[in-house]
Amino acid sequence: MKQEPNENDALWRALGEATPPMVSPFFARNVLRATRQSNERVVFLPVFLQRWIGALALSCVVIGFLTSLAFYPQYQTRDLDSVEIFDIAAGINELVPVQEITLASLASHGGGF
């Protein structure tokens, strides 16, 4: 790897001669103390809205949910021919030879699952 000469030698010399910054070891403590002592509060919402904002949000969600239930179509009608076609394609009619499942049909086929 070939070393390239520094183009900004004066800059590197100035950086090397600069005094390091002096940081107080109690900087964080002083900042926290100043923050706690400032009593200025920025009010974004009135106090009564701050107390009830959770209840308002929950009521909006519940109203939206109930509205979606009211306008959701309950059942879609399907013709029996298409249901039978899908049952035949899936082979369901071969799995269950009994047309109606009753206690008597379960007893006659061994009663097991």
Side-chain angles (χ1 to χ4, degrees), residues 29-89:
R29 182 189 68 178
N30 294 338
V31 169
L32 287 175
R33 182 186 309 140
T35 304
R36 288 181 186 139
Q37 288 175 351
S38 68
N39 290 331
E40 297 178 22
R41 298 186 97 182
V42 177
V43 178
F44 181 68
L45 293 172
V47 175
F48 71 92
L49 278 181
Q50 289 178 358
R51 291 181 182 162
W52 291 95
I53 194 142
L56 289 173
L58 179 66
S59 64
C60 289
V61 169
V62 168
I63 289 171
F65 177 72
L66 294 176
T67 304
S68 71
L69 285 180
F71 293 110
Y72 183 75
Q74 294 297 324
Y75 298 103
Q76 294 180 356
T77 58
R78 296 183 182 149
D79 54 344
L80 292 177
D81 294 334
S82 63
V83 173
E84 290 176 7
I85 291 171
F86 285 116
D87 287 347
I88 292 170

